[in-house]
Amino acid sequence: MQGWEAIRAEVLRRIRAREWPPGGLIPGEEALSEEFGVARATVNRALTALAEAGVIERKKRAGTRVAELPVRRARLDIPVIRLDVLARGLAYRFDLLADRMAPAPVPVTARLGLPEGAPMRYLETLHLAGGRPYVLESRWLNPAVLPEPAPDFARESVNEWLVMHVSLVSGDIAFTAEPASAREAEVLGVAPGTALLVAERTTQGTDAPVTFVRLAHAPGHRVQMAF
Amino acid sequence: MQGWEAIRAEVLRRIRAREWPPGGLIPGEEALSEEFGVARATVNRALTALAEAGVIERKKRAGTRVAELPVRRARLDIPVIRLDVLARGLAYRFDLLADRMAPAPVPVTARLGLPEGAPMRYLETLHLAGGRPYVLESRWLNPAVLPEPAPDFARESVNEWLVMHVSLVSGDIAFTAEPASAREAEVLGVAPGTALLVAERTTQGTDAPVTFVRLAHAPGHRVQMAF
């Protein structure tokens, strides 16, 4: 009886040999389990691994196809900033530098799908690791996602509060390298123009848009992921 | 009959309410399908979605636990650079700037698990988008993964060749922001010290370590992923 790795290797061999060409349908799990003489669950595990690796694409009802364009897929775990700092063996604290209601800039409302000029809560939080600036968080938050009374973001960081209380969100994240602005340089304690790793995240909840956040990381920050 | 989204919402409610506390086991699929009066496949789909979101962790035989630390998981599709450029609607070409055998530096062999000073193939490739520098690729390649005769990396970029021919790899990728070195500034046509988004990837194949690559992106580059 063959293990799932053997099935994966054979499926991969057929794809590389173009017996199953890019974009083409491959046989169903039932047929493969019969051909290979293994349980359907074994075929399923092999195909799941290949789908996770981006080699094949599985569609409900439409069957499984060989991917047109080879991609490699990496997974990024985005932790709460406090836990990220503690995992690095450093003490954590944060300072809430700004907290006000203001009309959100157009790029923010556009990305979140909110009306232009919608009043949002603007929160600026400096996260510190071992007493030194770690990341400057500039966030626009949809006030509609907050309960009454609203949480005190000077006591619990809005980053952590959102992860704990606003669940099942989706969104996108973009990484860029940017020269530190005057404000970033001042708060992070670096020279203006220093290369900073910047992450911008847009988050949608199940019911409403949640937040847009820009994270400017202190120099040397690495974002690591596995594939 | 409830859909899988309703099951997901109820499981999530119990986790948020700490009826099922962090780190604790939750009931098996069989028990949940009975309790909710839905098919086991429906429960499975709901739990799969929650596992993908990082809310629960499923272990073979050990059952399903509520995650100790909430994380959000993003997925990055790493395309072949040529296809990434074409997808941006720009013409693609590349120049092979260096190709030689040399003893690999210690940080490279250490990461790949190769003996210190092992001879590796060093390849420097400049990828251009719309005729302008897009990314400078500096790569150490394990010659053991190459066939005889070796491919001509002046005709097919080593980036693309590896994705097409060396399959089922795993590894890690790290993003940092770095000031452009003198070499990077010269090749990318920017001022030294310009903030560059740098990706470093270490890749292991099923049989042998494959490659270490550093990608220095032209200013303004965004790496985008979804969660």
Side-chain angles (χ1 to χ4, degrees), chain B residues 75-146:
Chain B
R75 212 184 70 182
L76 172 67
D77 287 342
I78 312 170
V80 173
I81 294 170
R82 179 177 65 83
L83 299 175
D84 178 28
V85 170
L86 295 179
R88 289 167 198 249
L90 295 166
Y92 171 79
R93 69 181 176 89
F94 71 93
D95 285 336
L96 182 62
L97 304 181
D99 183 355
R100 59 173 180 267
M101 288 295 292
V106 171
V108 173
T109 51
R111 284 195 220 202
L112 289 171
L114 287 169
E116 210 171 293
M120 294 185 72
R121 187 139 166 203
Y122 178 74
L123 296 139
E124 201 182 59
T125 308
L126 178 65
H127 301 268
L128 297 106
R132 289 159 60 171
Y134 185 70
V135 55
L136 174 62
E137 170 188 336
S138 312
R139 181 185 294 277
W140 291 90
L141 179 62
N142 182 358
V145 305
L146 293 174

Side-chain angles (χ1 to χ4, degrees), chain A residues 92-101 121-128 135-141 146 150-162 183 187 213:
Chain A
Y92 171 79
R93 71 180 175 88
F94 72 93
D95 285 336
L96 181 61
L97 304 182
D99 183 355
R100 59 174 178 268
M101 288 296 293
R121 186 139 166 201
Y122 177 75
L123 296 139
E124 201 182 59
T125 308
L126 177 66
H127 301 267
L128 298 107
V135 55
L136 175 62
E137 170 188 338
S138 311
R139 180 185 295 277
W140 291 91
L141 179 62
L146 294 174
D152 178 359
F153 292 130
R155 287 192 54 234
E156 182 178 16
S157 89
V158 59
N159 170 263
E160 183 146 5
W161 186 88
L162 278 170
R183 172 73 179 151
V187 173
V213 63

Side-chain angles (χ1 to χ4, degrees), chain B residues 174-223:
Chain B
F175 290 98
T176 53
E178 295 183 28
S181 67
R183 171 73 180 152
E184 286 161 353
E186 180 200 336
V187 174
L188 294 174
V190 300
T194 300
L196 302 183
L197 185 65
V198 171
E200 290 187 339
R201 287 208 297 258
T202 307
T203 305
Q204 302 283 342
T206 35
D207 307 319
V210 177
T211 193
F212 170 81
V213 63
R214 175 188 165 95
L215 301 170
H217 299 85
H221 191 90
R222 290 171 75 83
V223 165

